[in-house]
Amino acid sequence: MEGLRVWRLSSSIARPLSLRQPLGLGYSSCELVLCSNSGVVTATNTRLPSRDSRSFTFTSTSTSNLEVACAIRLKKVEPLWSKGSQPYAYKWDRSYRLGSSSSDLVPCCSDGGAAATNTKLHSRNRGSSTSTSTSDREAVRAIRLKKVEQLRSKGLEPYAYKWDRSHSARELQEIYKNLNNGEELDSESHHVSIAGRIVARRAFGKLAFLTLRDHSSSIQLYCEKERLLNNQFEQLKTLVDIGDILGASGSIKRTEKGELSVKVDSFAILTKSLLPLPDKYHGLTDIDKRYRQRYVDMIANPEVADLFRKRAKIVTEIRKTVESQGFVEVETPVLQGAAGGAEARPFMTYHNSLGRNLYLRIATELHLKRMLVGGFEKVYEIGRIFRNEGISTRHNPEFTTIEMYEAYSDYESMMDMAEEIVTRCALAVHGELTIDYQGVEIHLERPWRRETMHNLVKEATGIDFTEFENDLKVAKDVVMKALGVGLDSKDKFSIEACPSLGHLLNEVFEIFVEPKLLQPTFVLDYPMEISPLAKPHRRHAGLTERFELFICGRELANAFSELTDPLDQRARLEEQVRQHNKKRAEAVSVTDSMEEKDHKNEDSMYEVTLDDDFLTALEYGMPPASGMGLGIDRLVMLLTNSASIRDVIAFPVLKIQS
């Protein structure tokens, strides 16, 4: 192999009496040969009258860097021998070792015990890290528990009740942004008190620097031994670890290198951290662990905490937007007797006191419409929705939406509202309407494209569904002939299983059109078969006044001109129940045992019931209205450039760890 070098010893070498000689050679003369593809190097070790004097003569047919390095390093062995040093030691007894880049020293003992009084390693460039094993982690924990005992033995409480802060880190950075390098403000008026988590530390003799991070930013703590009273400097060196939450007070100083610092007069450990934080240079990189221990993720990766601050800002901006239009926020039940307002598999639970099954809501729609019946004209709810279905980068069984309903309006009004909400949120987060999402430049300037589902399908596939009238078989044949090549078996099965022309149109749209809708697009006028709660279109038979908003190939919002005819609504919902029960019966008939059920069959096994109370409410009369549901998680994904919905949910539900 090119570049491979192999040293071999001449067989004539006499065996050494000890291993003190370089490269394990004895006192007799020998040759050390480096074999390579490019030549041979011979190092001659000649025995001289004096034991400590050795010479190495190199001859070579190659001048590679490796050979030169060998010659140089062999020369460096000579002065070590001449000084009586041993360059090739026999052993070394160590009492402590480091975890992977850990700033805590781990005892090197078989039982993993920890009884050190000063086990903190101070290094200019070292932060704390994730331990390489559970034993390392437990050893660090044992050491820190010992420090808790030491603090209490000194009369110090390692878990404080409170701390009076005068400023946040960001406030100090802003107030003293014009302070010159090397300048110090030591007067009483510049005495400050802050608190936060220690995320880095360095110590040099009688001086120590700690980086303190709070909710707003970070600031340096400048600690001098002479300035700290009551032996606090030794406590700082021996008892404070990365991860601890500290309160500190002192004056303001900007170092010669330009770092704004609090020159500490006194400090207190407010919370002693028992477990080590991830390495500051590598962070918490295990994706599953990041989701399971989001609190550690936020400490190790400050940008994650910033994402959730942006999420809060987006929710606040949504509320401001809709309330500026006169909408009133209401709350509706999470536990419902009949899960309605959408077609989805619900989570089921049991109410002990009432002795009945209940469902976690799959939408807030039907109760918000009851509010319209009751006299409210503009209502909305921001709430959690639960659908017992699959998980993907854009689907989570528990998610957040805003649903809103406005009396005396139609779905055109909700298009305007959707544009208003998204653009105002984009400006709140980015300050502009051109954003990047996963490498795609998205333009949110209004107005957005508005096009019917029929026209978009025709544009993408060349198939005009208006020509088929009601002939489903002909439509399927045309679709399979024109588009079947290249389709996977799952998509082919979905097309063949469509029970109506409207379902087929929607299936073709989802497969061939939806992924290509990158820029904001309102898709209008959905088939009635898949829109049981929307008003019939006033101009086109078989369609409804419904739109969905797509950005980056993802549905972001869904809206209707709401159906207010109680008889029509009852007929559609009863038909929906019949269709579901038919699927359920088919699933049962092909299932011989619970073990043989596939996922598709399981998705059809749940029961769908009619919400008779909602239908009764409609019979009292609901005004003409429009309504919209908008996915907040997907909006946050878009505006924070997040690839997965789990990135924008603080604590997603995960599989149980084995």
Side-chain angles (χ1 to χ4, degrees):
M1 183 183 296
E2 181 63 32
L4 180 64
R5 304 290 188 266
V6 181
W7 289 100
R8 65 175 173 81
L9 296 177
S10 169
S11 59
S12 61
I13 299 174
R15 295 301 167 205
L17 298 176
S18 72
L19 297 177
R20 290 176 295 176
Q21 286 71 37
L23 302 175
L25 304 182
Y27 293 135
S28 60
S29 298
C30 69
E31 286 185 341
L32 191 62
V33 182
L34 172 61
C35 305
S36 72
N37 292 340
S38 56
V40 175
V41 180
T42 302
T44 303
N45 175 356
T46 306
R47 179 74 162 87
L48 297 177
S50 169
R51 172 190 165 194
D52 294 321
S53 177
R54 284 171 169 73
S55 65
F56 291 84
T57 305
F58 278 81
T59 59
S60 175
T61 58
S62 169
T63 57
S64 71
N65 289 339
L66 175 63
E67 290 142 6
V68 172
C70 288
I72 293 172
R73 294 196 179 193
L74 282 169
K75 279 292 186 181
K76 289 182 179 179
V77 172
E78 296 182 36
L80 291 172
W81 286 115
S82 65
K83 295 177 181 179
S85 298
Q86 170 57 275
Y88 302 100
Y90 289 91
K91 64 177 291 188
W92 179 265
D93 292 324
R94 61 178 183 173
S95 57
Y96 291 93
R97 62 186 172 84
L98 287 173
S100 175
S101 303
S102 177
S103 62
D104 290 290
L105 292 175
V106 179
C108 291
C109 52
S110 59
D111 61 358
T117 56
N118 182 4
T119 56
K120 191 67 183 173
L121 179 69
H122 304 295
S123 169
R124 179 180 181 89
N125 295 316
R126 191 181 301 281
S128 66
S129 83
T130 307
S131 299
T132 57
S133 68
T134 302
S135 61
D136 285 357
R137 174 186 166 109
E138 289 306 311
V140 170
R141 186 173 183 273
I143 292 170
R144 294 194 179 189
L145 281 170
K146 191 73 174 177
K147 293 180 182 181
V148 169
E149 294 177 16
Q150 289 179 264
L151 286 165
R152 286 184 169 142
S153 69
K154 298 175 185 292
L156 303 172
E157 175 52 54
Y159 300 99
Y161 288 86
K162 64 174 294 186
W163 180 265
D164 292 324
R165 292 192 298 182
S166 63
H167 298 82
S168 69
R170 181 170 295 168
E171 287 171 344
L172 292 179
Q173 297 284 4
E174 182 62 28
I175 293 170
Y176 297 103
K177 61 184 177 182
N178 296 322
L179 194 67
N180 296 323
N181 291 0
E183 188 176 353
E184 181 178 345
L185 303 174
D186 208 6
S187 64
E188 186 64 28
S189 61
H190 296 291
H191 193 272
V192 300
S193 176
I194 59 171
R197 190 181 298 273
I198 301 303
V199 295
R201 56 172 294 162
R202 296 169 291 153
F204 309 94
K206 297 182 179 181
L207 191 62
F209 300 93
L210 283 70
T211 301
L212 180 144
R213 184 194 298 154
D214 64 13
H215 73 284
S216 64
S217 186
S218 299
I219 195 165
Q220 181 171 268
L221 302 183
Y222 184 100
C223 307
E224 290 181 327
K225 183 175 182 179
E226 292 78 8
R227 192 178 180 98
L228 291 169
L229 304 177
N230 302 322
N231 205 33
Q232 273 203 315
F233 191 78
E234 289 305 313
Q235 292 176 18
L236 181 74
K237 290 174 66 177
T238 59
L239 299 178
V240 174
D241 295 300
I242 291 176
D244 291 352
I245 297 174
L246 252 64
S249 58
S251 56
I252 292 295
K253 172 186 176 70
R254 190 177 294 279
T255 65
E256 296 292 343
K257 293 185 177 180
E259 187 75 24
L260 185 68
S261 308
V262 174
K263 195 170 183 181
V264 178
D265 294 327
S266 63
F267 74 89
I269 297 176
L270 306 180
T271 299
K272 183 65 188 167
S273 171
L274 299 182
L275 295 175
L277 296 180
D279 188 291
K280 71 177 183 178
Y281 297 107
H282 302 97
L284 185 61
T285 56
D286 184 280
I287 298 297
D288 185 71
K289 191 170 184 179
R290 287 182 59 196
Y291 295 146
R292 290 185 191 279
Q293 295 185 311
R294 183 70 84 182
Y295 41 90
V296 181
D297 190 22
M298 288 189 245
I299 296 170
N301 305 305
E303 66 277 7
V304 174
D306 289 339
L307 186 152
F308 289 105
R309 291 190 181 96
K310 289 177 182 177
R311 179 182 177 119
K313 184 181 290 187
I314 288 167
V315 173
T316 298
E317 196 62 36
I318 291 173
R319 278 198 169 92
K320 286 180 183 177
T321 303
V322 297
E323 291 184 358
S324 69
Q325 302 292 323
F327 283 78
V328 176
E329 184 172 14
V330 298
E331 294 175 319
T332 63
V334 172
L335 294 175
Q336 301 179 353
E343 191 172 1
R345 182 181 184 182
F347 287 91
M348 189 174 73
T349 186
Y350 184 79
H351 197 299
N352 289 327
S353 296
L354 298 179
R356 60 178 294 198
N357 290 328
L358 292 175
Y359 302 92
L360 273 64
R361 65 187 180 193
I362 59 174
T364 56
E365 179 171 353
L366 301 189
H367 283 87
L368 288 172
K369 287 181 177 178
R370 287 172 169 92
M371 299 295 290
L372 294 184
V373 172
F376 283 79
E377 295 184 356
K378 293 183 178 183
V379 293
Y380 79 96
E381 181 174 10
I382 294 176
R384 301 293 267 184
I385 303 299
F386 308 89
R387 298 183 181 179
N388 197 0
E389 297 178 337
I391 295 174
S392 72
T393 55
R394 65 180 74 179
H395 297 94
N396 197 67
E398 179 184 8
F399 58 98
T400 305
T401 67
I402 176 172
E403 283 200 46
M404 63 190 72
Y405 294 86
E406 180 182 7
Y408 312 112
S409 67
D410 63 11
Y411 72 149
E412 295 277 352
S413 300
M414 286 300 158
M415 289 186 224
D416 296 335
M417 179 61 76
E419 287 180 338
E420 184 73 11
I421 288 172
V422 175
T423 54
R424 284 181 59 164
C425 288
L427 289 171
V429 173
H430 295 284
E432 59 181 343
L433 295 178
T434 299
I435 63 173
D436 175 81
Y437 183 76
Q438 301 297 299
V440 178
E441 192 174 85
I442 305 299
H443 302 281
L444 299 176
E445 293 83 1
R446 302 169 68 178
W448 298 342
R449 185 186 183 191
R450 303 181 182 192
E451 191 55 85
T452 67
M453 178 182 281
H454 275 85
N455 288 343
L456 288 168
V457 167
K458 183 178 179 181
E459 181 183 293
T461 67
I463 300 174
D464 186 353
F465 271 76
T466 61
E467 297 176 352
F468 299 127
E469 297 182 351
N470 291 320
D471 197 330
L472 179 60
K473 184 179 183 305
V474 170
K476 287 183 180 179
D477 290 342
V478 170
V479 168
M480 292 304 295
K481 184 177 180 180
L483 309 174
V485 178
L487 283 179
D488 60 30
S489 58
K490 180 182 176 183
D491 288 336
K492 288 180 180 178
F493 178 83
S494 297
I495 289 172
E496 291 293 346
C498 287
S500 71
L501 201 63
H503 284 94
L504 180 61
L505 171 65
N506 185 63
E507 195 67 37
V508 172
F509 169 80
E510 289 183 352
I511 295 172
F512 294 99
V513 181
E514 186 177 313
K516 300 175 183 177
L517 298 177
L518 301 181
Q519 300 303 323
T521 304
F522 291 111
V523 180
L524 312 179
D525 304 345
Y526 278 59
M528 188 174 292
E529 299 95 314
I530 61 170
S531 311
L533 294 160
K535 239 183 177 63
H537 201 286
R538 65 194 84 179
R539 290 183 297 277
H540 303 291
L543 302 180
T544 59
E545 294 195 352
R546 173 187 176 188
F547 75 78
E548 287 186 335
L549 169 62
F550 288 88
I551 305 178
C552 290
R554 296 173 181 172
E555 176 201 342
L556 198 65
N558 185 21
F560 317 140
S561 293
E562 299 297 338
L563 182 58
T564 55
D565 181 343
L567 301 181
D568 189 1
Q569 183 67 87
R570 178 177 290 275
R572 291 204 218 172
L573 292 180
E574 286 176 347
E575 178 60 24
Q576 188 179 45
V577 171
R578 275 194 296 271
Q579 290 293 333
H580 176 80
N581 288 340
K582 182 181 176 182
K583 288 182 187 177
R584 189 174 180 223
E586 290 172 353
V588 171
S589 67
V590 300
T591 301
D592 296 325
S593 69
M594 293 295 290
E595 290 74 23
E596 292 176 4
K597 287 191 307 181
D598 62 17
H599 182 67
K600 182 175 179 59
N601 287 335
E602 277 199 16
D603 281 348
S604 302
M605 293 299 287
Y606 65 92
E607 184 179 0
V608 172
T609 58
L610 207 61
D611 191 336
D612 277 308
D613 182 71
F614 168 66
L615 295 170
T616 300
L618 283 188
E619 293 195 0
Y620 280 97
M622 188 178 96
S626 62
M628 177 173 66
L630 186 147
I632 289 178
D633 304 297
R634 290 187 181 178
L635 178 59
V636 175
M637 288 173 65
L638 174 69
L639 298 181
T640 59
N641 196 17
S642 300
S644 171
I645 194 170
R646 291 188 181 187
D647 293 334
V648 301
I649 296 175
F651 303 103
V653 177
L654 304 169
K655 289 182 179 179
I656 297 174
Q657 279 184 310
S658 58

